[in-house]
Short mmCIF file of all heavy atoms in Angstrom, two decimals:
data_model
loop_
_atom_site.label_atom_id
_atom_site.label_comp_id
_atom_site.label_asym_id
_atom_site.label_seq_id
_atom_site.Cartn_x
_atom_site.Cartn_y
_atom_site.Cartn_z
N LYS F 46 32.56 -111.71 -116.61
CA LYS F 46 33.83 -112.10 -117.21
C LYS F 46 34.20 -111.05 -118.25
O LYS F 46 33.37 -110.71 -119.11
CB LYS F 46 33.68 -113.46 -117.88
CG LYS F 46 34.98 -114.00 -118.46
CD LYS F 46 34.76 -115.39 -119.03
CE LYS F 46 36.06 -115.95 -119.57
NZ LYS F 46 35.90 -117.30 -120.09
N GLY F 51 39.58 -111.79 -120.00
CA GLY F 51 39.10 -113.07 -119.47
C GLY F 51 38.99 -113.14 -117.95
O GLY F 51 38.62 -114.16 -117.40
N THR F 52 39.32 -112.04 -117.27
CA THR F 52 39.24 -112.06 -115.80
C THR F 52 37.78 -112.12 -115.34
O THR F 52 36.91 -111.48 -115.93
CB THR F 52 39.90 -110.79 -115.22
OG1 THR F 52 41.21 -110.68 -115.76
CG2 THR F 52 39.97 -110.85 -113.70
N ILE F 53 37.56 -112.92 -114.30
CA ILE F 53 36.21 -113.04 -113.73
C ILE F 53 36.14 -112.20 -112.46
O ILE F 53 37.04 -112.24 -111.61
CB ILE F 53 35.88 -114.51 -113.43
CG1 ILE F 53 35.80 -115.29 -114.76
CG2 ILE F 53 34.58 -114.63 -112.66
CD1 ILE F 53 35.78 -116.79 -114.61
N ILE F 75 28.27 -114.31 -115.96
CA ILE F 75 28.48 -115.76 -115.88
C ILE F 75 28.14 -116.30 -114.48
O ILE F 75 28.25 -115.59 -113.49
CB ILE F 75 29.93 -116.19 -116.23
CG1 ILE F 75 30.92 -115.58 -115.24
CG2 ILE F 75 30.29 -115.86 -117.66
CD1 ILE F 75 32.20 -116.39 -115.18
N HIS F 76 27.71 -117.56 -114.46
CA HIS F 76 27.46 -118.23 -113.18
C HIS F 76 28.78 -118.73 -112.61
O HIS F 76 29.50 -119.45 -113.28
CB HIS F 76 26.54 -119.44 -113.38
CG HIS F 76 25.12 -119.05 -113.60
ND1 HIS F 76 24.60 -118.80 -114.84
CD2 HIS F 76 24.11 -118.86 -112.72
CE1 HIS F 76 23.32 -118.47 -114.72
NE2 HIS F 76 22.99 -118.50 -113.46
N LEU F 77 29.06 -118.36 -111.38
CA LEU F 77 30.26 -118.86 -110.73
C LEU F 77 29.97 -120.24 -110.14
O LEU F 77 28.82 -120.63 -109.98
CB LEU F 77 30.68 -117.90 -109.62
CG LEU F 77 30.78 -116.42 -110.01
CD1 LEU F 77 31.26 -115.61 -108.81
CD2 LEU F 77 31.71 -116.22 -111.19
N SER F 78 31.04 -120.95 -109.81
CA SER F 78 30.87 -122.26 -109.20
C SER F 78 30.28 -122.13 -107.80
O SER F 78 30.55 -121.16 -107.09
CB SER F 78 32.22 -122.96 -109.12
OG SER F 78 32.09 -124.15 -108.38
N GLU F 80 31.01 -124.24 -105.60
CA GLU F 80 31.96 -124.95 -104.75
C GLU F 80 33.29 -124.22 -104.70
O GLU F 80 33.70 -123.62 -105.70
CB GLU F 80 32.17 -126.38 -105.28
CG GLU F 80 30.95 -127.24 -105.02
CD GLU F 80 30.89 -128.48 -105.90
OE1 GLU F 80 31.94 -128.86 -106.46
OE2 GLU F 80 29.80 -129.05 -106.01
N GLY F 81 33.94 -124.28 -103.56
CA GLY F 81 35.22 -123.61 -103.44
C GLY F 81 36.05 -124.15 -102.30
O GLY F 81 35.71 -125.16 -101.68
N THR F 82 37.19 -123.46 -102.05
CA THR F 82 38.13 -123.89 -101.03
C THR F 82 38.48 -122.70 -100.14
O THR F 82 38.68 -121.59 -100.64
CB THR F 82 39.43 -124.41 -101.71
OG1 THR F 82 39.06 -125.39 -102.68
CG2 THR F 82 40.37 -125.02 -100.70
N GLU F 108 38.20 -119.47 -102.46
CA GLU F 108 38.58 -119.54 -103.88
C GLU F 108 37.54 -120.41 -104.57
O GLU F 108 37.46 -121.61 -104.34
CB GLU F 108 39.97 -120.16 -104.02
CG GLU F 108 40.42 -120.40 -105.46
CD GLU F 108 41.10 -119.18 -106.08
OE1 GLU F 108 41.86 -118.50 -105.36
OE2 GLU F 108 40.83 -118.91 -107.26
N LEU F 109 36.68 -119.79 -105.38
CA LEU F 109 35.66 -120.57 -106.08
C LEU F 109 36.33 -121.33 -107.22
O LEU F 109 37.23 -120.81 -107.88
CB LEU F 109 34.57 -119.65 -106.63
CG LEU F 109 33.67 -118.98 -105.61
CD1 LEU F 109 32.61 -118.15 -106.31
CD2 LEU F 109 33.00 -119.99 -104.69
N GLU F 110 35.88 -122.55 -107.43
CA GLU F 110 36.48 -123.40 -108.46
C GLU F 110 36.48 -122.73 -109.83
O GLU F 110 35.43 -122.38 -110.35
CB GLU F 110 35.70 -124.72 -108.56
CG GLU F 110 36.34 -125.84 -107.78
CD GLU F 110 35.45 -127.07 -107.73
OE1 GLU F 110 34.84 -127.38 -108.75
OE2 GLU F 110 35.39 -127.68 -106.66
N GLY F 111 37.67 -122.54 -110.34
CA GLY F 111 37.81 -122.05 -111.71
C GLY F 111 37.40 -120.61 -111.95
O GLY F 111 37.19 -120.22 -113.09
N CYS F 112 37.26 -119.78 -110.92
CA CYS F 112 36.91 -118.39 -111.24
C CYS F 112 37.59 -117.34 -110.37
O CYS F 112 38.61 -116.78 -110.78
CB CYS F 112 35.41 -118.20 -111.31
SG CYS F 112 34.43 -119.05 -110.11
N CYS F 113 37.08 -117.11 -109.18
CA CYS F 113 37.57 -115.95 -108.44
C CYS F 113 37.40 -116.18 -106.95
O CYS F 113 37.01 -117.26 -106.52
CB CYS F 113 36.79 -114.70 -108.86
SG CYS F 113 35.03 -114.89 -108.57
N ARG F 114 37.73 -115.16 -106.17
CA ARG F 114 37.62 -115.27 -104.71
C ARG F 114 36.50 -114.40 -104.19
O ARG F 114 36.19 -113.36 -104.78
CB ARG F 114 38.93 -114.83 -104.06
CG ARG F 114 40.05 -115.82 -104.30
CD ARG F 114 41.34 -115.35 -103.65
NE ARG F 114 42.37 -116.39 -103.82
CZ ARG F 114 43.55 -116.38 -103.20
NH1 ARG F 114 43.86 -115.38 -102.37
NH2 ARG F 114 44.41 -117.35 -103.40
#
Side-chain angles (χ1 to χ4, degrees):
Chain F
K46 183 177 182 178
T52 307
I53 294 168
I75 62 157
H76 284 89
L77 310 182
S78 172
E80 288 161 18
T82 308
E108 174 87 39
L109 291 182
E110 263 172 40
C112 40
C113 59
R114 289 180 176 190

